[in-house]
Amino acid sequence: MNHHEDSNTNFIKEEDQVINLREILVKYIYHWPLFVFAILICLSAAFFYLRYTQKVYAVSSTLLIKDEKKGGMPAGGDLLNELDLFGASKVIDNEIEILKSKTLMRKVVERLNLMASFQSAGRVINSELYLNKSMKFHVVALDSNWYGKTLALSFPNANTYQLKDLESGESFKGLLGQLQRNKLGVYKIDLNPHLARPVTKDISVHISDPYVVADQLLSKLSVNLASKQSTVLNLGFETVVPQQGQDILNTLVQVYNEAALSDKNRTTQST
């Protein structure tokens, strides 16, 4: 008798479980439009993120650091100097700090004229342009009052250009390839006649403080030892324009070598 009652009890419990699951499913099915809407929102957000987020590229280079003191030693030199690992490490650390210094990066900014950046207007976002080969903005000196401002760039004809401040309406016209002196500063805009003319509409030029640009570039620069036993440095730079990253690293190495040679010459003259 007790066995029969237990069977009935188990049957009722199983039936209750089935009924509960059915109620839960009904609740979810009732709200299915919300689930579909949420999925569509997530897919749309993912699409726009992948479509309009600019890709970031990693550009790399290597640099060999030579220890002049050890390089000039004879074959039978002091054994203690040969085993001076801490001294070599200290030299490498110093060179890494020099490569990451604001002084060198400021020279890179000036040499590549990176205080003037170009952008092309898009339907949703603006895209950064690097027109170093087709067009060059040579800066001698810029008035600091224009730092942080954006100018619209256009080419009325094959020989002239126009820079216009969209806020004030003030514009500057000049001949391509000729040095200009005006309220903006002293500069020159060149077009490479052997390459196609850049996009002539919706190009803007943003004028920045060279010190601010140098700090921004340094935040994207990495300098590390290739290995503990070597004197080779790995230089890395993150950028949305690979060609610009390559030019920045190459110019940084060039400026570094020039500074090292200048320091060596001063040391030679003082002895």
Side-chain angles (χ1 to χ4, degrees), residues 25-236:
L25 289 175
V26 169
K27 290 181 181 179
Y28 280 108
I29 293 175
Y30 178 77
H31 295 288
W32 73 265
L34 293 178
F35 289 104
V36 174
F37 180 74
I39 292 174
L40 291 176
I41 290 295
C42 292
L43 291 176
S44 300
F47 170 79
F48 282 103
Y49 177 81
L50 296 175
R51 173 66 177 82
Y52 293 106
T53 300
Q54 291 184 317
K55 296 180 180 180
V56 178
Y57 300 89
V59 182
S60 61
S61 181
T62 57
L63 177 65
L64 174 63
I65 303 298
K66 293 183 179 180
D67 191 339
E68 297 294 338
K69 294 180 180 180
K70 290 186 178 182
M73 288 181 59
D78 190 352
L79 181 61
L80 293 178
N81 287 331
E82 290 292 334
L83 297 176
D84 187 11
L85 300 179
F86 293 103
S89 176
K90 191 173 182 179
V91 170
I92 296 299
D93 290 341
N94 290 340
E95 300 308 308
I96 290 177
E97 292 304 315
I98 292 174
L99 284 165
K100 296 168 64 176
S101 67
K102 294 184 178 182
T103 301
L104 289 192
M105 189 57 74
R106 172 70 190 277
K107 291 182 178 180
V108 172
V109 172
E110 293 177 348
R111 191 163 297 186
L112 294 178
N113 299 290
L114 297 178
M115 66 283 291
S117 59
F118 300 89
Q119 289 188 335
S120 175
R123 288 179 294 179
V124 178
I125 62 173
N126 294 338
S127 300
E128 185 175 351
L129 299 176
Y130 187 57
L131 305 175
N132 196 41
K133 291 186 177 180
S134 60
M135 181 176 68
K136 290 188 178 182
F137 195 109
H138 302 275
V139 175
V140 178
L142 292 177
D143 189 337
S144 59
N145 292 323
W146 291 92
Y147 291 165
K149 293 189 176 183
T150 301
L151 308 175
L153 173 63
S154 60
F155 302 93
N157 54 58
N159 300 318
T160 63
Y161 68 88
Q162 176 177 291
L163 290 169
K164 185 176 182 179
D165 183 3
L166 298 180
E167 294 183 0
S168 64
E170 188 174 8
S171 61
F172 307 97
K173 296 181 179 180
L175 293 175
L176 291 169
Q178 291 191 9
L179 198 66
Q180 304 293 323
R181 297 177 182 269
N182 49 42
K183 291 177 61 177
L184 183 60
V186 183
Y187 61 93
K188 180 176 66 170
I189 295 180
D190 281 333
L191 284 182
N192 190 335
H194 302 293
L195 295 178
R197 178 183 291 266
V199 180
T200 56
K201 63 177 181 179
D202 299 329
I203 290 184
S204 60
V205 182
H206 186 74
I207 307 298
S208 302
D209 186 342
Y211 289 98
V212 174
V213 177
D215 289 339
Q216 293 173 347
L217 296 182
L218 285 173
S219 67
K220 303 174 183 179
L221 175 69
S222 62
V223 184
N224 301 296
L225 263 176
S227 67
K228 294 182 179 180
Q229 308 300 328
S230 71
T231 58
V232 176
L233 298 179
N234 289 331
L235 281 64

